[in-house]
Amino acid sequence: MIFKKHRLLVFLGLILIILASACSNEAKVEPKKTDEVKLTTDENKVYIGFVLDTLQQERWYKDKELFEEKITELGGNVKTLAANGSESVQLAQAKLLIEEGVDVLVVVPYNADAAAEIVELAHKANTKVISYDRLIKNADVDYYISFDNLKVGELQANEVLKHTTNGNFAYIGGAETDNNAVLFREGAMKVLQPQIDQGKINLVYDKYTDNWDPAIAEKNMLEALEQTSGEIDAVISANDGNAGGVVKALATNGLDGNIPVSGQDAELDAVKRIVAGKQTMTVYKPINLLAETAAEMAMKVAQNEEIETNNAVNNGKIDVPSYLLEPETVTKENIDSTIIKDNYLTQEEIYGN
């Protein structure tokens, strides 16, 4: 748990990486104060590295802050780096943290397959890897912690079917490089396929969304509307960011609020759309539970303590010891008893004064 020597060179390299990341084409938002790198000071403490795909979406700030707070509370040191949606930057950041001597590397992969190289590099340095929220594919990952992502897709499709049981459906997926996006679609199709086979549903549009970019989701939805002359009866959107793009596209055709649209992540804007009747549902995944459980796991792994798992998920190479949490449907009717009750969002944030 003692940092490796040549720390000054590593730190200078880190600054160059961060500058490169900030100049990346993916960086479209002004960094918040929470983007600043948290440097470690006590060399006798457990040192955890947290490598994020991005901080450009609302939910990842919550993960970052909650994870860091829990590690600190448990007596560890932590440094978080975000790659701004760049595969090469994420690899470079992981290398730097490994060279600094992190005891455990917790990774939210940008690219599920490419991140296998991070695992290989970490293991060469005897550093354990926890795959956080998104599964790293085809690698000897030590642990995986996430939500039941197949169930997320099932919840989305089931709630939409409560509002529309037939007609033309569009699926606006996430980034295909994200294994979760594949699982969300698989879960949704598990629900939709019987209806498709019976001829009740026509899946007229089915496309992933590069980089989970809401602007691309909007473009895809406009394409679906054009291809069907505006005849869309329901939309399964893989997350809330995409749902925002979908609703914008529907609005150009006067359809916003008239057809069901799913989402995920319980983002504030999405919950406001649910209240306004523009979005049908979101999937609430208690980020506080995910981040804090992951932090506890990381500290235990670093100290060679016994790790509790409740599942094993195959990543194409091994069955990864996993801990999966339960997601929950949120609609207009249960906002108060879910996300407000958990203080995930406040009543004032959602409804105003």
Side-chain angles (χ1 to χ4, degrees):
M1 294 186 280
I2 297 177
F3 299 169
K4 295 182 175 65
K5 299 176 182 178
H6 70 283
R7 201 170 167 195
L8 177 60
L9 292 175
V10 171
F11 177 71
L12 290 173
L14 172 61
I15 295 301
L16 292 175
I17 291 297
I18 295 170
L19 289 173
S21 173
C23 295
S24 140
N25 290 332
E26 298 291 338
K28 300 176 183 177
V29 296
E30 288 295 320
K32 299 181 181 178
K33 289 183 180 179
T34 50
D35 287 1
E36 296 173 359
V37 176
K38 180 172 283 190
L39 295 175
T40 57
T41 55
D42 188 340
E43 296 185 0
N44 294 315
K45 291 184 176 181
V46 167
Y47 181 22
I48 307 297
F50 193 24
V51 181
L52 291 167
D53 162 24
T54 183
L55 281 172
Q56 295 178 31
Q57 295 174 12
E58 176 188 320
R59 70 148 289 189
W60 295 113
Y61 280 102
K62 292 181 182 291
D63 292 79
K64 175 185 185 295
E65 292 168 358
L66 290 163
F67 183 85
E68 290 177 344
E69 287 172 5
K70 192 64 177 179
I71 291 292
T72 302
E73 176 189 319
L74 294 171
N77 283 325
V78 59
K79 182 184 290 182
T80 302
L81 298 175
N84 285 333
S86 170
E87 182 180 311
S88 60
V89 169
Q90 184 166 66
L91 176 60
Q93 290 175 337
K95 284 181 179 178
L96 284 165
L97 289 172
I98 292 166
E99 289 171 1
E100 279 196 352
V102 291
D103 299 299
V104 177
L105 193 62
V106 181
V107 182
V108 180
Y110 165 70
N111 184 309
D113 289 295
E117 186 174 353
I118 293 175
V119 178
E120 184 178 350
L121 290 170
H123 283 178
K124 285 181 180 177
N126 294 317
T127 300
K128 296 290 182 69
V129 177
I130 297 173
S131 193
Y132 181 101
D133 193 58
R134 303 173 181 174
L135 182 63
I136 298 173
K137 301 286 290 296
N138 301 308
D140 294 314
V141 181
D142 296 284
Y143 296 98
Y144 172 49
I145 181 167
S146 187
F147 290 89
D148 185 338
N149 293 307
L150 283 172
K151 187 171 182 179
V152 169
E154 292 174 12
L155 293 177
Q156 290 171 331
N158 278 320
E159 190 61 35
V160 166
L161 285 176
K162 290 180 182 179
H163 297 265
T164 303
T165 58
N166 54 58
N168 291 339
F169 278 50
Y171 188 85
I172 306 296
E176 195 169 9
T177 53
D178 178 354
N179 187 62
N180 281 4
V182 177
L183 294 174
F184 299 150
R185 183 186 179 281
E186 185 179 336
M189 292 307 297
K190 181 179 177 181
V191 174
L192 296 178
Q193 194 61 54
Q195 309 300 314
I196 294 171
D197 294 341
Q198 294 173 32
K200 295 179 180 179
I201 289 175
N202 298 314
L203 189 62
V204 295
Y205 193 85
D206 182 5
K207 198 167 185 178
Y208 287 104
T209 303
D210 292 344
N211 295 321
W212 290 96
D213 188 336
I216 295 176
E218 180 181 359
K219 179 182 177 182
N220 289 345
M221 191 66 231
L222 288 170
E223 183 178 78
L225 290 165
E226 183 179 357
Q227 290 178 4
T228 60
S229 300
E231 295 295 325
I232 297 289
D233 298 292
V235 181
I236 311 293
S237 167
N239 80 339
D240 289 338
N242 281 3
V246 166
V247 170
K248 283 184 181 179
L250 292 175
T252 66
N253 286 256
L255 294 173
D256 56 318
N258 294 321
I259 66 173
V261 177
S262 70
Q264 177 203 178
D265 288 332
E267 292 187 353
L268 178 58
D269 285 346
V271 177
K272 287 182 175 181
R273 285 194 297 269
I274 291 172
V275 171
K278 305 289 186 179
Q279 184 172 322
T280 307
M281 62 85 74
T282 187
V283 178
Y284 173 44
K285 303 185 301 185
I287 301 305
N288 58 333
L289 185 59
L290 174 65
E292 291 171 6
T293 304
E296 291 169 355
M297 178 184 285
M299 291 294 288
K300 287 180 179 179
V301 170
Q303 297 170 97
N304 296 313
E305 296 179 17
E306 185 176 348
I307 305 301
E308 178 187 357
T309 60
N310 61 10
N311 214 309
V313 178
N314 190 278
N315 71 348
K317 185 176 183 180
I318 65 169
D319 290 327
V320 183
S322 304
Y323 194 88
L324 301 184
L325 303 164
E326 285 293 309
E328 185 174 0
T329 297
V330 172
T331 65
K332 192 172 184 178
E333 290 69 34
N334 71 342
I335 289 172
D336 291 3
S337 63
T338 54
I339 53 182
I340 291 178
K341 180 183 177 182
D342 286 357
N343 202 31
Y344 184 75
L345 294 173
T346 68
Q347 188 164 9
E348 184 177 355
E349 285 174 322
I350 296 169
Y351 300 108
N353 295 324

